[in-house]
Amino acid sequence: MAVPAVRIASSRLPIASDDIKVGVGIVIVAAAICALVLVADQWWGVNHYQLVRDPNAIANNPNYFGLVSNLGIVLWIAGAVGALQAFAALRHTQEKAFSGLLLAGGCFAAVMGLDDLLMLHESIAATGIPEILVLGPHAILLAATCYRAWLLQGRTPWLLLVACVAAFGCSMVVDVVPVEFAGQVFIEESFKLLGIMFLTAYLVITSQKALRSVPQDGFRQTSLEDR
């Protein structure tokens, strides 16, 4: 008996123009980074091997070197991404109370993460500029974060932010103590890591609260047809 032919309707997978733009942008940025590596290699004499490999692999150091510092950088960036993503999501809603806090806190975490990753303030201070001036923008962003949090009157887990500021303060006090003592760096970095953890937790929890404070229909719905 003959089997009737089944006609399968062909379906085209829609491709959003925004997705294409993002993909093209990523390719352009990646190409620019690779081009800068080649420029540094050819013009400035910086071996490209030193720019693309892990520092510990280049120096033949054990993998655990800088482990706590790297953990701190990961936490900085995690807090920054959470806060700035929530800030971007809330721009199209009526919820404006959290916007300033998320922007200031996200920028502070991002700047600090990049500073630790690239050792910016140490490098700038080595040129003779006082470290207190280099760290000025960091302090301004942290003060702005605290001010915005205070304006929200307890709508955020403020105790975590207080603990964060206290831990950073203790780290700075230990750092500027004129008399060196055993374990000074360990204590300083321990307080700093504690402060980073408190701040990341504060930003993540605050971001969740901010997003949950907006009714579901308050977000602009976007479909493939709308793009």
Side-chain angles (χ1 to χ4, degrees), residues 84-170:
L84 294 177
Q85 177 64 28
F87 167 76
L90 292 173
R91 284 191 308 161
H92 304 296
T93 69
Q94 297 300 317
E95 177 57 75
K96 302 299 181 183
F98 285 95
S99 295
L101 170 59
L102 294 172
L103 179 60
C107 288
F108 172 69
V111 168
M112 292 298 295
L114 292 175
D115 192 324
D116 279 358
L117 177 64
L118 303 175
M119 300 179 63
L120 293 178
H121 78 267
E122 291 91 344
S123 301
I124 297 176
T127 63
I129 300 176
E131 189 172 10
I132 187 65
L133 295 180
V134 178
L135 295 177
H138 305 61
I140 292 174
L141 286 172
L142 180 58
T145 301
C146 294
Y147 173 70
R148 288 291 183 173
W150 179 76
L151 291 179
L152 287 173
Q153 299 294 329
R155 294 178 63 187
T156 70
W158 59 269
L159 188 59
L160 292 176
L161 185 59
V162 171
C164 159
V165 174
F168 286 151
C170 291

Side-chain angles (χ1 to χ4, degrees), residues 7-139:
R7 189 173 183 179
I8 303 177
S10 61
S11 60
R12 295 178 57 189
L13 182 64
I15 301 177
S17 60
D18 287 349
D19 296 345
I20 296 177
K21 293 177 183 178
V22 171
V24 171
I26 291 173
V27 171
I28 292 174
V29 171
I33 292 174
C34 294
L36 288 174
V37 170
L38 294 178
V39 168
D41 187 306
Q42 297 298 317
W43 290 4
W44 302 325
V46 179
N47 192 330
H48 68 273
Y49 181 86
Q50 298 174 342
L51 294 174
V52 300
R53 292 293 307 279
D54 182 87
N56 285 338
I58 296 173
N60 199 26
N61 289 328
N63 293 336
Y64 59 80
F65 272 31
L67 177 62
V68 174
S69 177
N70 290 338
L71 175 61
I73 293 171
V74 170
L75 292 173
W76 280 126
I77 301 305
V81 169
L84 294 177
Q85 177 64 28
F87 167 76
L90 292 173
R91 284 191 308 161
H92 304 296
T93 69
Q94 297 300 317
E95 177 57 75
K96 302 299 181 183
F98 285 95
S99 295
L101 170 59
L102 294 172
L103 179 60
C107 288
F108 172 69
V111 168
M112 292 298 295
L114 292 175
D115 192 324
D116 279 358
L117 177 64
L118 303 175
M119 300 179 63
L120 293 178
H121 78 267
E122 291 91 344
S123 301
I124 297 176
T127 63
I129 300 176
E131 189 172 10
I132 187 65
L133 295 180
V134 178
L135 295 177
H138 305 61

